[in-house]
Amino acid sequence: MKLGIIGTNWITAQFVEAATATGQYTLAAVYSRRAATAEAFIASTAPATAYTDMAAFLASDVEVVYIASPNGLHAEQTVAAVNAGKHVIVEKPMVTHPSQLAAIEAAKAAHPGVFVFEAARHVYDPNFAVIRDFAATHPLSGATLAYAKYSSRYDDYLAGKDPNIFSPRFGGGALMDLGVYLVYAAVAWFGVPTHAVYLPHLLASGVDGDGVARLTYPEFDVTLIAGKAYNSQLVSELYTGRQTLSFDSPGELNRVTLVDDTPHELTRPKDANPMADEVAFFAEAIQTHDTAAEAAQWALAKQVHTVMGQLRASTAIHFANDPE
Ligand SMILES: NC(=O)c1ccc[n+]([C@@H]2O[C@H](COP(=O)([O-])OP(=O)(O)OC[C@H]3O[C@@H](n4cnc5c(N)ncnc54)[C@H](OP(=O)(O)O)[C@@H]3O)[C@@H](O)[C@H]2O)c1
């Protein structure tokens, strides 16, 4: 499949590497705001056509568009690509407000056969399935899920710059950037919570540097801890009676251990490129026109972003592209 990409940062290079390694994708078009940036990306990856005009990029013969722009642009770029008849793989978070789901759904309805996937890479990690299967077969009494990494962009923020990921202009902050991994895990493993609240630590910019969420389920509660202004070494855990399923973080999933009287290692091997599993899944679904697979992932994404909306609605975090 001919691949077009929007956004030229390191994550796009990692995606292109994973995609081309499957043998199912060929980089064909690179969109950037600046021609020199597109040319530099092409020079360091694979031959492709550079575009600085979005309409021309979307009118090209690419079949799949990967979107890795700032969060606040994801929804409108997804709609534009679907309306151009392109399959879309859009980085997390696919939307920054749940109301944006309707616009993507309308575009999908107008273009049946066009697939939209959110690049929630951990969902396709083999260890994600290990934990999902454990949760489905054990009576849970709770869980704690943590993902907090000190962002290199936080140094820029502290230096008085306005990096996208710490700005309400583009839907930044810890919940949107890393919390979304935790919400994906909770919804995929435990279902949709009956209640969701978020207690953020707000930065002067108006977005959250870190925060704690509580998701309520009928039989137990789940705590989520997300942060971009510090590094956490906390393990994440599912509790069932005297047993604990322990793993590094839903966003990494390098090690999964069942802790009982003695620890049992449950970790499954995986590819060194953390995007390898998702790109293989998306290629298979698109090429076999597996509408059931796409519908299942779309349904999960909708549930996740509905919960994300509830979490943010419990805070004073407002983004530039929020509805009035
Ligand atoms: N799955 C993962 O593991 C993972 C890891 C990192 C990031 N991500 C996701 O990838 C996305 C991009 O993250 P990032 O850190 O690379 O973001 P970023 O550096 O803020 O922006 C990404 C790209 O968007 C373009 N861009 C930057 N500012 C823009 C602006 N003001 N208006 C329009 N375009 C702009 C730039 O490309 P040009 O200069 O070429 O136009 C840039 O390379 C985010 O949604 C993030 O959540 C995912």
Side-chain angles (χ1 to χ4, degrees):
M1 296 183 289
K2 289 184 178 166
L3 176 66
I5 56 114
I6 299 174
T8 53
N9 202 3
W10 66 269
I11 192 62
T12 305
Q14 189 178 83
F15 179 90
V16 170
E17 186 184 306
T20 50
T22 65
Q24 307 297 315
Y25 305 79
T26 306
L27 184 65
V30 173
Y31 168 82
S32 173
R33 292 165 299 168
R34 292 174 57 242
T37 310
E39 297 294 355
F41 186 90
I42 290 165
S44 66
T45 50
T49 306
Y51 292 89
T52 53
D53 180 76
M54 183 64 81
F57 168 79
L58 291 176
S60 73
D61 63 353
V62 300
E63 295 156 274
V64 181
V65 172
Y66 170 69
I67 299 171
S69 55
N71 298 343
L73 301 176
H74 291 180
E76 65 180 70
Q77 290 175 340
T78 297
V79 168
V82 171
N83 283 336
K86 313 301 183 189
H87 302 295
V88 174
I89 301 169
V90 54
E91 266 305 335
K92 38 58 65 174
M94 175 169 65
V95 296
T96 53
H97 190 282
S99 62
Q100 296 163 350
L101 292 166
I104 301 176
E105 255 178 344
K108 274 161 61 71
H111 297 85
V114 170
F115 284 4
V116 175
F117 290 109
E118 183 171 16
R121 56 175 169 67
H122 62 323
V123 171
Y124 305 91
D125 186 311
N127 291 307
F128 194 90
V130 170
I131 302 168
R132 183 195 60 213
D133 294 348
F134 183 90
T137 51
H138 292 76
L140 297 182
S141 31
T144 304
L145 308 178
Y147 198 20
K149 292 194 297 189
Y150 187 92
S151 168
S152 58
R153 305 264 174 73
Y154 193 52
D155 292 329
D156 293 339
Y157 174 78
L158 292 175
K161 297 177 190 159
D162 186 25
N164 296 334
I165 201 59
F166 285 101
S167 170
R169 281 180 305 125
F170 283 118
L175 175 65
M176 285 292 140
D177 191 51
L178 299 184
V180 67
Y181 287 96
L182 307 179
V183 175
Y184 249 104
V187 172
W189 296 339
F190 317 128
V192 176
T194 55
H195 191 59
V197 291
Y198 184 53
L199 292 171
H201 169 72
L202 289 183
L203 303 176
S205 69
V207 305
D208 49 327
D210 68 270
V212 178
R214 191 75 166 164
L215 307 182
T216 305
Y217 290 87
E219 304 296 334
F220 55 86
D221 281 9
V222 172
T223 302
L224 311 181
I225 302 167
K228 286 191 67 64
Y230 57 76
N231 279 318
S232 169
Q233 308 300 326
L234 281 177
V235 293
S236 293
E237 298 177 327
L238 270 55
Y239 312 111
T240 174
R242 290 189 170 78
Q243 293 182 319
T244 304
L245 188 73
S246 170
F247 45 99
D248 47 354
S249 160
E252 304 287 341
L253 297 173
N254 291 314
R255 185 139 195 208
V256 185
T257 310
L258 178 60
V259 183
D260 204 332
D261 294 334
T262 53
H264 308 275
E265 176 89 31
L266 301 180
T267 316
R268 287 192 196 154
K270 60 181 184 180
D271 197 282
N273 187 321
M275 305 177 97
D277 296 304
E278 62 174 350
V279 289
F281 181 95
F282 301 148
E284 168 87 10
I286 292 170
Q287 287 174 328
T288 62
H289 199 63
D290 189 343
T291 51
E294 197 259 357
Q297 298 316 112
W298 175 257
L300 175 61
K302 267 184 78 170
Q303 291 175 332
V304 165
H305 289 291
T306 302
V307 175
M308 290 286 286
Q310 291 165 355
L311 290 171
R312 194 157 66 84
S314 69
T315 74
I317 303 169
H318 300 291
F319 297 147
N321 65 349
D322 281 346
E324 293 295 313

